[in-house]
């Protein structure tokens, strides 16, 4: 039979969401004590862990040192148990390398690196369970981890994947919906600046505007949730320290 | 809004995989009823007073059908009487998985406002979602989900304002019904409910017959072997013991069929099936699984013509077996083809069939046999109480099923089309059978037409080239009102010629994506029947605004070449333009002007220039190996008042025909190249694949019978050897041979350049080709216009234009519509031929034998372009002695031997003993064979004949 019906006539998607609705987001900051910053996030069935070290002195090859700002080092990996079939190589394959690069570019745009010349910030993200929107979830996790580490950023970086089905943009795709054209956007929501925009499918120019619009709205939705998480975390921490 | 989530596990075949999906339950899914005060819905679908008068349920009620009811009784649900129905999401999903056509029809009903069908998304509703229990099958779980939803509805609507409004579950499943009754739901069987309706007793006829097991035990005899279950079929196909393919019944022999099995890559094998047992209830166009028989049981395709003409009773099979035996000729091994039997049906491809009711032997009987118009479809048994009224009418019937013990499939009456034999009805049947959309254009479509009075605006002029001063003229067949091409030719100062082909700019009026465009895309092509034209676009466009009539200003899309006097192209350009045609000529008028030396006006000179260049172009094309084939086309002279055909003649071809054709080909090829250069991934092109060598068997055999050799290695070789093939004293031989060659060819098809690598057009010997020149009557041309307009910057692109998958889907539709329109045209000609001979009586004509069959010869009468069969065996008495020789092929009847291409004389008359399949009957006059040939008819034809030659 014909494939899945991604959007029913009644306007419901496969999992019962409407076109503009996000998946349920749950997040925690400060999950590991030994790292400088860490966070865990669940966006529907996609789960990711982010850990931040730094800023610290350059390690490894010194010749990468930048004299006016910090170097951001990213590593993306997927747990071997994150997909339906066990993954052979958790990191270092082409896709992961590309993803690492994208993350690096995203955070170079958001972190105020000029405050830490000649130093390095490490961001490690691991996808524990993959169900669509891996890049976006990793960006969101890393944002929380950086905040947890206390590294200044221009704004939250909020990311979301959007797709296009039956002339309708769908927000926050799950794995089954990712087959068509999908676009990933990382946004600094307050100023509306774009940290990264990525799409590798074909899409007619006429649709791009609608899709961008939907992506912006979705990212702003994500930012609200993240903001809440940060505030709650701060409250908890301040209670513990007795302030 | 996100309430909670549960996990749904799914496995997929081909390596079991665990798939985890989220499933959100919501509290904002409304019930869709007018009476509800709780739900915060914006608009309601279900009415407050939903009155269907029924004996069973006197209060107003909503219906909830289960999946099987929807699948089998969609005809009933489509009736305007049935309103206020709740379709549950689970039902919709199951229907989608099980039958695409029913799903489409159900969706159409849901979209119709007057039907008040509401889709309730029960699977995502907080209160109606249920989880599958351990040990429960998926089907049971779905049935339970339906019951839970019905229960929820009954509680939900059970409020003070509801006036006892009820929710009724309709199911045919006994177990489901009992369980529903236990939990206190109102539930009826579909048959019982429909029978209880007071308003419309005829609806009962539309009920599909369901296999009621209890009723059928009495009929003990099992006629057919059982179909294997799907799991075994899948294993069998994987391991290669079974083959999967499309079942195609033979038109001439109801006991024979072929299955085309798509093998690896391009090659297809053909499996022959013979005998009722081996056909095993497959119906034309079904997708079936076949098992090959052992090699020693393989047979050759029989050349007998057999029609199922038995009476309705399931009598002894002896007769059948005899016939089957008669078919099995001991052929030498070479002629034997893979033979098999149907073991299972993978997908039924049933549609409603047009046809007629057979009169039953018993007057009061309610069970009748129905004979479809399509001879490849078996007769269908239906139950109706209106038999007497339907007897002389054409009706539509849908098949419900084919149980093992029944000789015929079971079906039910859908609707009546009108009196049989009536021209209107017959045309309707013809259009329905060929799936030609022929309803009037809807208001939505018409709303996109330009407002009248229409004129060319200054904005149009600003972006178009003004070619109004050019001497443009059009040349078309007589009576043509949709003129889509016009030509001009002008000598230039440097001695070259400027030649222009101007095509109606339809894409200016039909903008992508609107209702008018979608309708045209669906219709695909204009269908020309005798005396009737089914337009692709509304008449205002086809016969007025887009038609390039003389002396009016029209928008055009022009292709302009500069050519030297050897017809070499120096320069090509395309532009949107405004033209003013100076004359609309017919082929004959144009020919007269060219031939008349006294005429020296601009138009005539332009025509002469075109004609000269066309001849060079044609010669060059033929040198490259383009084929000139032949098929006889006839034209009817239709009485203007009664619309009856009064005369018939074959179409004549003149120089001007080929002149116009030549420039159209040139335009098409130039445009094809241009759009392919610009859009290598999504250009809409047309290709004509080279036929496989086996297609030429008939042609080769035929030529060898006259001692000639036809080379079929390439198009060029074929064209050359066809030119050489001449027999002294038999001038018509070459034409006959070309007619045969035409039948060896493959169909030319549209395709999207991004989806294919072979672009070659075999018949035209061109590496690339498309259709650009008839946008009024072909949708493909509109697409090509749009592509070309984008590539010259005259128009903007839009999403679907550059989507190769959507374009590929469009091509499939266009190919299908094109094929069907050709069939419909042929059927229309056949019908009018019959009308013509009905009024004309018996004629005595000369013809040539085109094919020799085992018990018949097929004769072509060149004068009428008419083909008919002369049978030699007789049903009632023993026929003459027949000896059939496969190799020749030749047929010896008594002393005389008939070979292909023999000249014979036959009488033509109309056999209207069967109203549905009126046939042209031919009987032999010359050569005279005692007991076979008939005497020369004396009167009638002689007196009328002179009139024919007028």
């Amino acid at each position: 039979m014909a494939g899945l019906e991604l959007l029913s006539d009644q306007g419901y998607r496969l999992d019962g969401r409407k076109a503009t609705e996000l998946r349920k987001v749950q997040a925690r900051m400060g999950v590991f004590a030994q790292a400088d910053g860490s966070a865990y996030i669940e966006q529907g069935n996609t789960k990711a862990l982010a850990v931040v070290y730094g800023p610290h002195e350059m390690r490894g090859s010194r010749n990468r040192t930048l004299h006016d700002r910090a170097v951001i080092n990213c590593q993306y990996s997927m747990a071997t148990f994150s997909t339906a079939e066990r993954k052979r190589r958790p990191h270092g394959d082409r896709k992961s390398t590309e993803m690492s690069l994208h993350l690096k570019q995203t955070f170079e745009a958001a972190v105020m690196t000029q405050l830490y010349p000649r130093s390095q910030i490490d961001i490690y993200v691991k996808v524990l369970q993959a169900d669509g929107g891996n890049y976006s979830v990793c960006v969101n996790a890393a944002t929380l981890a950086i905040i947890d580490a206390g590294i200044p950023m221009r704004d939250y970086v909020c990311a979301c994947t959007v797709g296009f089905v039956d002339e309708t943009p769908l927000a926050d795709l799950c794995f089954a919906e990712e087959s068509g054209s999908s676009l990933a956007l990382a946004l600094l929501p307050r100023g509306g600046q774009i940290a990264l925009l990525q799409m590798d499918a074909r899409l007619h120019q006429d649709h791009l505007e609608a899709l961008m619009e939907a992506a912006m709205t979705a990212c702003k939705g994500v930012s609200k949730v993240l903001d809440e998480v940060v505030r709650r975390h701060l409250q908890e921490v301040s209670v513990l320290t007795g302030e | 809004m996100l309430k909670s989530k549960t996990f749904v596990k799914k496995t997929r075949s081909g390596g079991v995989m665990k798939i985890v999906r989220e499933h959100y339950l919501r509290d904002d899914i409304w019930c869709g009823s007018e009476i509800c005060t709780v739900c915060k819905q914006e608009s309601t679908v279900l009415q407050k007073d939903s009155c269907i008068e029924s004996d069973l349920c006197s209060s107003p009620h909503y219906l909830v059908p289960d999946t099987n009811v929807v699948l089998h009784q969609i005809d009933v649900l489509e009736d305007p009487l049935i309103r206020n129905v709740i379709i549950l999401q689970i039902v919709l999903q199951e229907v989608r998985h099980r039958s695409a056509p029913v799903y489409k029809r159900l969706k159409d009903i849901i979209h119709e406002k007057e039907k008040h069908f509401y889709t309730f998304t029960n699977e995502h509703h907080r209160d109606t979602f249920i989880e599958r229990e351990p040990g429960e099958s998926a089907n049971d779980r779905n049935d339970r989900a339906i019951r839970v939803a019905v229960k929820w509805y009954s509680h939900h609507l059970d409020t003070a304002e509801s006036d006892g409004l009820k929710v009724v579950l309709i199911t045919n499943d006994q177990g489901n019904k009992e369980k529903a009754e236990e939990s206190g739901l109102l539930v009826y069987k579909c048959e019982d409910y429909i029978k209880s309706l007071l308003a419309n007793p005829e609806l009962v006829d539309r009920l599909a017959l369901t296999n009621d097991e209890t009723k059928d035990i009495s009929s003990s005899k099992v006629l057919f072997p059982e179909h294997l279950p799907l799991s075994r079929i899948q294993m069998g196909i994987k391991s290669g013991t079974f083959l999967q393919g499309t079942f195609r019944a033979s038109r001439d022999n109801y006991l024979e069929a072929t299955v085309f099995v798509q093998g690896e890559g391009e090659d297809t094998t053909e499996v022959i099936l013979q005998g009722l047992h081996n056909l095993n209830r497959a119906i034309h166009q079904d997708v079936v699984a076949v098992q090959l028989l052992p090699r020693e049981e393989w047979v050759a395709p029989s050349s007998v013509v057999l029609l199922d003409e038995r009476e309705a009773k399931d009598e002894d099979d002896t007769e059948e077996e005899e016939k089957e035996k008669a078919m099995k000729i001991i052929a030498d091994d070479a002629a034997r083809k893979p033979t098999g039997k149907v073991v299972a049906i993978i997908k039924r491809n049933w549609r409603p069939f047009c046809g007629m009711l057979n009169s039953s032997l018993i007057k009061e009987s309610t069970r009748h046999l129905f004979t479809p118009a399509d001879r490849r479809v078996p007769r269908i048994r239906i139950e109706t109480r209106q038999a007497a009224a339907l007897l002389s009418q054409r009706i539509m019937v849908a098949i419900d099923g084919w149980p093992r013990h029944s000789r015929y499939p079971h079906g039910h009456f859908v609707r009546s089309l009108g009196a049989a034999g009536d021209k209107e009805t017959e045309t309707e049947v013809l259009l329905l059978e060929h799936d030609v959309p022929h309803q009037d254009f809807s208001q939505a479509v018409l709303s996109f037409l330009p407002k009248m009075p229409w004129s060319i605006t200054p904005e149009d002029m600003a972006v178009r080239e003004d070619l109004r001063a050019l001497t443009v003229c059009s040349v078309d067949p007589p009576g043509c009102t949709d003129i889509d091409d016009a030509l001009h030719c002008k000598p230039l100062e440097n001695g070259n010629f400027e030649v222009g082909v101007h095509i109606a700019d339809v894409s200016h009026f039909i903008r992508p994506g609107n209702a008018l465009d979608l309708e045209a895309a669906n219709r695909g092509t204009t269908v020309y029947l005798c005396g009737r034209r089914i337009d692709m676009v509304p008449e205002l466009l086809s016969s007025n605004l887009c038609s390039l009539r003389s002396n009016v200003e029209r928008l055009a899309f022009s292709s302009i070449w500069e050519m030297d006097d050897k017809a070499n192209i120096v320069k090509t350009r395309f532009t949107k333009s405004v033209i003013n045609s100076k004359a609309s000529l017919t082929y004959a008028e144009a020919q007269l002007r060219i031939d008349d030396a006294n005429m020296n006006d601009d138009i005539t000179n332009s025509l002469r220039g075109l004609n000269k260049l066309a001849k060079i172009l044609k010669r060059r094309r033929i040198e490259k190996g383009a084929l000139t084939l032949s098929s006889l086309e006839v034209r009817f002279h239709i009485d203007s008042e009664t619309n009856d055909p009064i005369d018939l003649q074959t179409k004549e071809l003149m120089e001007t025909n080929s002149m116009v054709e030549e420039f159209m080909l040139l335009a098409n090829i130039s445009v094809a190249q241009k759009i392919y250069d610009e859009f290598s991934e999504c250009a809409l092109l047309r290709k004509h694949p080279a036929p496989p060598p086996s297609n030429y068997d008939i042609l080769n055999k035929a030529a060898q019978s006259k001692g000639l050799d036809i080379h079929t290695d390439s198009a060029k070789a074929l064209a050359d050897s066809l030119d050489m093939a001449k027999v002294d004293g038999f001038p018509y031989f070459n034409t006959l041979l070309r007619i045969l060659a035409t039948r060896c060819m493959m169909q030319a098809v549209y395709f999207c350049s991004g989806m294919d690598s072979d672009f070659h057009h075999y018949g035209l010997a061109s590496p690339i080709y498309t259709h650009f020149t008839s946008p009024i009557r072909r949708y493909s041309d509109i697409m090509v216009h749009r592509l070309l307009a984008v590539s010259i910057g005259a128009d903007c692109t839009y999403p679907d234009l550059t989507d190769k998958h959507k374009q590929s889907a469009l091509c499939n539709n266009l190919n299908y519509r094109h094929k069907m329109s050709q069939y419909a045209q042929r059927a229309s000609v056949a019908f009018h031929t019959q009308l013509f001979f009905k009024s004309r009586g018996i004629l005595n004509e000369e013809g040539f034998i085109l094919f020799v069959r085992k018990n018949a010869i097929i004769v072509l009468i060149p004068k009428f372009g008419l083909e008919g069969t002369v049978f030699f065996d007789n049903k009632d008495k023993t026929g003459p002695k027949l000896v059939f020789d496969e190799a020749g092929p030749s047929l010896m009847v008594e002393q005389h031997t008939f070979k292909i291409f023999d000249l014979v004389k036959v009488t033509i008359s109309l056999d209207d003993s069967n109203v549905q399949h009126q046939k042209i009957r031919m009987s032999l006059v010359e050569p005279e064979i005692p007991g076979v040939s008939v005497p020369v008819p004396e009167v009638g034809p002689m007196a009328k004949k002179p009139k024919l030659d007028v």
Side-chain angles (χ1 to χ4, degrees), chain A residues 1-5 9-10 12-18 21-24 26 42-45 84-85 129 131 167 176 202 204 206-207, chain B residues 1-2 5 7 10 12 17-18 20-24 26 28-29 92 96-98 100 103 107 111 119 121 124 681 797-799 802 806:
Chain A
M1 258 312 298
L4 294 163
E5 188 179 40
D9 285 355
Q10 290 71 44
Y12 296 110
R13 289 153 67 175
L14 280 175
D15 50 12
R17 285 184 288 156
K18 293 205 168 161
E21 288 172 357
L22 303 176
R23 291 180 286 183
K24 184 170 178 143
Q26 282 178 312
E42 284 182 12
Q43 227 169 308
N45 277 335
E85 270 180 345
Q129 183 169 308
D131 185 31
E167 316 287 301
R202 281 173 78 106
H204 198 275
D206 292 7
H207 296 316
Chain B
M1 274 215 268
L2 311 177
K5 60 183 180 176
F7 294 110
K10 266 197 162 180
R12 265 189 201 160
M17 216 153 116
K18 189 165 132 193
V20 182
R21 280 205 199 121
E22 285 187 290
H23 196 99
Y24 289 92
R26 317 179 63 104
D28 62 344
I29 296 174
L92 200 64
R96 183 168 183 268
H97 281 291
R98 305 241 317 251
Y103 178 69
K107 275 188 102 165
H111 284 301
T119 318
T121 314
H124 291 292
E681 279 291 292
T797 162
Y798 62 99
T802 51
K806 283 202 174 134

Side-chain angles (χ1 to χ4, degrees), chain B residues 270-289:
Chain B
E270 205 180 313
V271 178
I272 299 179
L273 309 168
Q274 270 186 356
L276 273 184
H277 253 82
N278 292 344
L279 298 182
N280 198 2
R281 293 171 282 161
I283 292 172
H284 186 62
Q285 288 291 334
D286 285 349
V287 178
V288 296

Side-chain angles (χ1 to χ4, degrees), chain B residues 866-878:
Chain B
L866 178 72
E867 234 174 85
T869 316
V870 179
F871 287 97
F872 291 118
D873 53 354
N874 226 320
K875 270 197 291 289
D876 318 320
K877 49 184 195 242
T878 47

Side-chain angles (χ1 to χ4, degrees), chain B residues 589-644:
Chain B
E589 283 168 2
Q591 190 69 52
L592 279 178
R593 275 175 182 258
I594 292 173
D595 295 344
D596 189 346
N598 295 330
M599 295 188 82
N600 266 316
D601 53 310
D602 281 351
I603 297 173
T604 313
N605 286 333
S606 163
L607 283 173
R608 283 191 190 126
L610 287 169
N611 199 23
K612 202 183 92 200
L613 292 170
K615 279 183 185 159
I616 305 173
L617 286 171
K618 183 168 188 181
R619 203 185 59 229
R620 200 174 298 155
R621 209 162 52 79
I622 287 171
E623 276 168 11
K624 269 202 264 167
L627 295 172
T628 14
L629 298 172
S630 179
S631 64
L632 291 174
E633 279 188 85
V634 288
R635 167 178 290 278
F636 290 95
H637 288 225
I638 304 246
D639 189 308
S640 54
E641 273 166 29
T642 60
N643 274 331
D644 284 330

Side-chain angles (χ1 to χ4, degrees), chain B residues 481-512:
Chain B
T481 59
D482 48 349
I483 304 169
D484 37 25
D485 50 84
L487 300 156
H488 87 270
C489 173
K490 184 173 85 174
L492 295 174
E493 282 165 10
N494 60 5
N496 288 351
F497 293 92
E498 179 189 274
V499 179
V501 168
H502 311 274
I503 307 297
D505 191 7
V506 182
S507 62
H508 174 85
F509 297 98
I510 301 182
R511 301 311 299 170

